[in-house]
PDB file of all heavy atoms in Angstrom:
ATOM      1  N   ALA A 266      30.548  -0.928 -49.636  1.00 90.00           N
ATOM      2  CA  ALA A 266      30.444   0.113 -50.654  1.00 90.00           C
ATOM      3  C   ALA A 266      28.983   0.446 -50.944  1.00 90.00           C
ATOM      4  O   ALA A 266      28.630   1.614 -51.153  1.00 90.00           O
ATOM      5  CB  ALA A 266      31.147  -0.351 -51.934  1.00 90.00           C
ATOM      6  N   PHE A 267      28.138  -0.565 -50.943  1.00 90.00           N
ATOM      7  CA  PHE A 267      26.714  -0.348 -51.222  1.00 90.00           C
ATOM      8  C   PHE A 267      26.073   0.496 -50.123  1.00 90.00           C
ATOM      9  O   PHE A 267      25.248   1.370 -50.399  1.00 90.00           O
ATOM     10  CB  PHE A 267      26.002  -1.693 -51.349  1.00 90.00           C
ATOM     11  CG  PHE A 267      24.534  -1.569 -51.656  1.00 90.00           C
ATOM     12  CD1 PHE A 267      24.106  -1.020 -52.847  1.00 90.00           C
ATOM     13  CD2 PHE A 267      23.586  -1.998 -50.736  1.00 90.00           C
ATOM     14  CE1 PHE A 267      22.750  -0.904 -53.132  1.00 90.00           C
ATOM     15  CE2 PHE A 267      22.235  -1.885 -51.007  1.00 90.00           C
ATOM     16  CZ  PHE A 267      21.810  -1.338 -52.214  1.00 90.00           C
ATOM     17  N   VAL A 268      26.440   0.222 -48.875  1.00 90.00           N
ATOM     18  CA  VAL A 268      25.919   1.027 -47.760  1.00 90.00           C
ATOM     19  C   VAL A 268      26.321   2.488 -47.930  1.00 90.00           C
ATOM     20  O   VAL A 268      25.523   3.411 -47.715  1.00 90.00           O
ATOM     21  CB  VAL A 268      26.434   0.483 -46.408  1.00 90.00           C
ATOM     22  CG1 VAL A 268      26.096   1.447 -45.267  1.00 90.00           C
ATOM     23  CG2 VAL A 268      25.830  -0.891 -46.127  1.00 90.00           C
ATOM     24  N   LEU A 269      27.568   2.705 -48.342  1.00 91.00           N
ATOM     25  CA  LEU A 269      28.031   4.080 -48.572  1.00 91.00           C
ATOM     26  C   LEU A 269      27.246   4.727 -49.706  1.00 91.00           C
ATOM     27  O   LEU A 269      26.863   5.906 -49.618  1.00 91.00           O
ATOM     28  CB  LEU A 269      29.527   4.077 -48.900  1.00 91.00           C
ATOM     29  CG  LEU A 269      30.149   5.437 -49.245  1.00 91.00           C
ATOM     30  CD1 LEU A 269      29.981   6.419 -48.093  1.00 91.00           C
ATOM     31  CD2 LEU A 269      31.617   5.274 -49.620  1.00 91.00           C
ATOM     32  N   VAL A 270      26.986   3.967 -50.765  1.00 90.00           N
ATOM     33  CA  VAL A 270      26.223   4.501 -51.891  1.00 90.00           C
ATOM     34  C   VAL A 270      24.811   4.883 -51.462  1.00 90.00           C
ATOM     35  O   VAL A 270      24.271   5.908 -51.878  1.00 90.00           O
ATOM     36  CB  VAL A 270      26.184   3.472 -53.044  1.00 90.00           C
ATOM     37  CG1 VAL A 270      25.165   3.890 -54.107  1.00 90.00           C
ATOM     38  CG2 VAL A 270      27.557   3.339 -53.671  1.00 90.00           C
ATOM     39  N   VAL A 271      24.198   4.039 -50.626  1.00 91.00           N
ATOM     40  CA  VAL A 271      22.853   4.350 -50.125  1.00 91.00           C
ATOM     41  C   VAL A 271      22.875   5.647 -49.328  1.00 91.00           C
ATOM     42  O   VAL A 271      21.980   6.504 -49.466  1.00 91.00           O
ATOM     43  CB  VAL A 271      22.314   3.195 -49.269  1.00 91.00           C
ATOM     44  CG1 VAL A 271      21.035   3.603 -48.548  1.00 91.00           C
ATOM     45  CG2 VAL A 271      22.052   1.964 -50.138  1.00 91.00           C
ATOM     46  N   TRP A 272      23.883   5.805 -48.491  1.00 92.00           N
ATOM     47  CA  TRP A 272      23.995   7.043 -47.701  1.00 92.00           C
ATOM     48  C   TRP A 272      24.168   8.251 -48.624  1.00 92.00           C
ATOM     49  O   TRP A 272      23.513   9.279 -48.455  1.00 92.00           O
ATOM     50  CB  TRP A 272      25.171   6.930 -46.734  1.00 92.00           C
ATOM     51  CG  TRP A 272      25.266   8.073 -45.755  1.00 92.00           C
ATOM     52  CD1 TRP A 272      24.304   9.013 -45.484  1.00 92.00           C
ATOM     53  CD2 TRP A 272      26.386   8.403 -44.924  1.00 92.00           C
ATOM     54  NE1 TRP A 272      24.751   9.905 -44.536  1.00 92.00           N
ATOM     55  CE2 TRP A 272      26.022   9.552 -44.180  1.00 92.00           C
ATOM     56  CE3 TRP A 272      27.635   7.837 -44.732  1.00 92.00           C
ATOM     57  CZ2 TRP A 272      26.884  10.143 -43.268  1.00 92.00           C
ATOM     58  CZ3 TRP A 272      28.501   8.426 -43.817  1.00 92.00           C
ATOM     59  CH2 TRP A 272      28.123   9.559 -43.097  1.00 92.00           C
ATOM     60  N   LEU A 273      25.049   8.104 -49.607  1.00 93.00           N
ATOM     61  CA  LEU A 273      25.237   9.188 -50.570  1.00 93.00           C
ATOM     62  C   LEU A 273      23.936   9.480 -51.314  1.00 93.00           C
ATOM     63  O   LEU A 273      23.604  10.643 -51.590  1.00 93.00           O
ATOM     64  CB  LEU A 273      26.332   8.816 -51.568  1.00 93.00           C
ATOM     65  CG  LEU A 273      27.759   8.729 -51.030  1.00 93.00           C
ATOM     66  CD1 LEU A 273      28.692   8.196 -52.105  1.00 93.00           C
ATOM     67  CD2 LEU A 273      28.243  10.078 -50.534  1.00 93.00           C
ATOM     68  N   GLY A 274      23.195   8.413 -51.634  1.00 92.00           N
ATOM     69  CA  GLY A 274      21.927   8.601 -52.328  1.00 92.00           C
ATOM     70  C   GLY A 274      20.920   9.377 -51.501  1.00 92.00           C
ATOM     71  O   GLY A 274      20.182  10.222 -52.025  1.00 92.00           O
ATOM     72  N   ILE A 275      20.879   9.094 -50.192  1.00 92.00           N
ATOM     73  CA  ILE A 275      19.967   9.832 -49.309  1.00 92.00           C
ATOM     74  C   ILE A 275      20.314  11.319 -49.301  1.00 92.00           C
ATOM     75  O   ILE A 275      19.453  12.191 -49.454  1.00 92.00           O
ATOM     76  CB  ILE A 275      20.028   9.258 -47.881  1.00 92.00           C
ATOM     77  CG1 ILE A 275      19.434   7.848 -47.855  1.00 92.00           C
ATOM     78  CG2 ILE A 275      19.288  10.167 -46.900  1.00 92.00           C
ATOM     79  CD1 ILE A 275      19.595   7.147 -46.527  1.00 92.00           C
ATOM     80  N   VAL A 276      21.610  11.611 -49.124  1.00 94.00           N
ATOM     81  CA  VAL A 276      22.043  13.010 -49.049  1.00 94.00           C
ATOM     82  C   VAL A 276      21.824  13.717 -50.383  1.00 94.00           C
ATOM     83  O   VAL A 276      21.276  14.828 -50.436  1.00 94.00           O
ATOM     84  CB  VAL A 276      23.524  13.088 -48.635  1.00 94.00           C
ATOM     85  CG1 VAL A 276      24.039  14.529 -48.721  1.00 94.00           C
ATOM     86  CG2 VAL A 276      23.703  12.555 -47.222  1.00 94.00           C
ATOM     87  N   TYR A 277      22.221  13.065 -51.477  1.00 93.00           N
ATOM     88  CA  TYR A 277      22.052  13.687 -52.788  1.00 93.00           C
ATOM     89  C   TYR A 277      20.574  13.838 -53.149  1.00 93.00           C
ATOM     90  O   TYR A 277      20.168  14.823 -53.777  1.00 93.00           O
ATOM     91  CB  TYR A 277      22.772  12.871 -53.859  1.00 93.00           C
ATOM     92  CG  TYR A 277      24.189  13.342 -54.124  1.00 93.00           C
ATOM     93  CD1 TYR A 277      25.229  12.431 -54.266  1.00 93.00           C
ATOM     94  CD2 TYR A 277      24.473  14.702 -54.256  1.00 93.00           C
ATOM     95  CE1 TYR A 277      26.529  12.871 -54.517  1.00 93.00           C
ATOM     96  CE2 TYR A 277      25.760  15.139 -54.505  1.00 93.00           C
ATOM     97  CZ  TYR A 277      26.790  14.217 -54.631  1.00 93.00           C
ATOM     98  OH  TYR A 277      28.061  14.665 -54.879  1.00 93.00           O
ATOM     99  N   GLY A 278      19.766  12.847 -52.774  1.00 93.00           N
ATOM    100  CA  GLY A 278      18.338  12.951 -53.071  1.00 93.00           C
ATOM    101  C   GLY A 278      17.694  14.125 -52.362  1.00 93.00           C
ATOM    102  O   GLY A 278      16.926  14.891 -52.958  1.00 93.00           O
ATOM    103  N   ARG A 279      18.015  14.293 -51.104  1.00 93.00           N
ATOM    104  CA  ARG A 279      17.443  15.412 -50.354  1.00 93.00           C
ATOM    105  C   ARG A 279      18.000  16.746 -50.838  1.00 93.00           C
ATOM    106  O   ARG A 279      17.293  17.755 -50.866  1.00 93.00           O
ATOM    107  CB  ARG A 279      17.694  15.213 -48.856  1.00 93.00           C
ATOM    108  CG  ARG A 279      16.951  14.011 -48.282  1.00 93.00           C
ATOM    109  CD  ARG A 279      17.172  13.841 -46.800  1.00 93.00           C
ATOM    110  NE  ARG A 279      16.404  12.703 -46.285  1.00 93.00           N
ATOM    111  CZ  ARG A 279      16.384  12.314 -45.013  1.00 93.00           C
ATOM    112  NH1 ARG A 279      17.116  12.977 -44.118  1.00 93.00           N
ATOM    113  NH2 ARG A 279      15.661  11.280 -44.636  1.00 93.00           N
ATOM    114  N   PHE A 280      19.288  16.732 -51.203  1.00 94.00           N
ATOM    115  CA  PHE A 280      19.874  17.946 -51.769  1.00 94.00           C
ATOM    116  C   PHE A 280      19.156  18.334 -53.061  1.00 94.00           C
ATOM    117  O   PHE A 280      18.860  19.510 -53.303  1.00 94.00           O
ATOM    118  CB  PHE A 280      21.361  17.726 -52.033  1.00 94.00           C
ATOM    119  CG  PHE A 280      21.992  18.725 -52.952  1.00 94.00           C
ATOM    120  CD1 PHE A 280      22.112  20.057 -52.581  1.00 94.00           C
ATOM    121  CD2 PHE A 280      22.463  18.339 -54.201  1.00 94.00           C
ATOM    122  CE1 PHE A 280      22.684  20.992 -53.435  1.00 94.00           C
ATOM    123  CE2 PHE A 280      23.044  19.259 -55.062  1.00 94.00           C
ATOM    124  CZ  PHE A 280      23.152  20.587 -54.676  1.00 94.00           C
ATOM    125  N   ALA A 281      18.871  17.338 -53.889  1.00 93.00           N
ATOM    126  CA  ALA A 281      18.185  17.607 -55.153  1.00 93.00           C
ATOM    127  C   ALA A 281      16.780  18.145 -54.922  1.00 93.00           C
ATOM    128  O   ALA A 281      16.329  19.065 -55.613  1.00 93.00           O
ATOM    129  CB  ALA A 281      18.126  16.328 -55.996  1.00 93.00           C
ATOM    130  N   VAL A 282      16.080  17.577 -53.930  1.00 92.00           N
ATOM    131  CA  VAL A 282      14.742  18.072 -53.610  1.00 92.00           C
ATOM    132  C   VAL A 282      14.813  19.509 -53.102  1.00 92.00           C
ATOM    133  O   VAL A 282      13.999  20.363 -53.470  1.00 92.00           O
ATOM    134  CB  VAL A 282      14.062  17.155 -52.567  1.00 92.00           C
ATOM    135  CG1 VAL A 282      12.774  17.801 -52.047  1.00 92.00           C
ATOM    136  CG2 VAL A 282      13.762  15.791 -53.169  1.00 92.00           C
ATOM    137  N   GLY A 283      15.808  19.792 -52.263  1.00 92.00           N
ATOM    138  CA  GLY A 283      15.980  21.162 -51.777  1.00 92.00           C
ATOM    139  C   GLY A 283      16.274  22.131 -52.907  1.00 92.00           C
ATOM    140  O   GLY A 283      15.737  23.243 -52.942  1.00 92.00           O
TER     141      GLY A 283
END
Side-chain angles (χ1 to χ4, degrees):
F267 181 65
V268 170
L269 177 59
V270 169
V271 170
W272 187 14
L273 292 173
I275 292 173
V276 173
Y277 267 137
R279 294 182 178 181
F280 163 66
V282 170

